[in-house]
Amino acid sequence: SIAATMKNHSVLVAVTLLGSTNAFVSPQARSTSSTALDATIAVFGASGLTAQECVYQGLKEGDKIVGLTRNPSNVVTPKGSGGADAEKPLSDPNLTMIGGDVTNAADVAKG
């Protein structure tokens, strides 16, 4: 599935799992295991096209997401997978957006 593919590749696109020593549990094991991974996914550059897709897919799977971007208002539902909601502001109770710069340690520490 697209969600599984995005989750498997999300580590390669500036996505980091926080709060877990076992960050590489497959989505299949995670969704069927009684010891599901309880983590927050941090996305740096969350308003970028690939990052927006990762944020969107993570939220669809029920993950908690913390996004860091210079312009949080630029984070929108991606075209294609977002369907009728494409390009609308992305909002979800599991999404925390932080305005800041990844090169500023104080901004990164906010998450």
Side-chain angles (χ1 to χ4, degrees):
S1 80
I2 292 174
T5 300
M6 291 303 298
K7 283 188 172 249
N8 287 336
H9 292 96
S10 63
V11 173
L12 300 175
V13 290
V15 176
T16 305
L17 291 173
L18 302 173
S20 172
T21 57
N22 190 2
F24 300 102
V25 175
S26 73
Q28 294 80 16
R30 187 175 152 221
S31 62
T32 60
S33 172
S34 62
T35 58
L37 180 64
D38 183 22
T40 298
I41 300 173
V43 181
F44 298 97
S47 61
L49 295 178
T50 302
Q52 285 182 38
E53 186 66 41
C54 291
V55 169
Y56 181 74
Q57 294 296 329
L59 292 171
K60 279 180 53 176
E61 292 291 320
D63 294 319
K64 293 178 184 167
I65 310 286
V66 176
L68 176 69
T69 182
R70 288 182 296 246
N71 295 305
S73 63
N74 289 346
V75 178
V76 297
T77 303
K79 293 180 182 178
S81 61
D85 291 328
E87 298 187 325
K88 292 181 181 175
L90 191 54
S91 177
D92 188 280
N94 285 336
L95 177 62
T96 301
M97 290 304 306
I98 299 170
D101 188 319
V102 71
T103 63
N104 182 332
D107 289 343
V108 174
K110 291 177 187 175

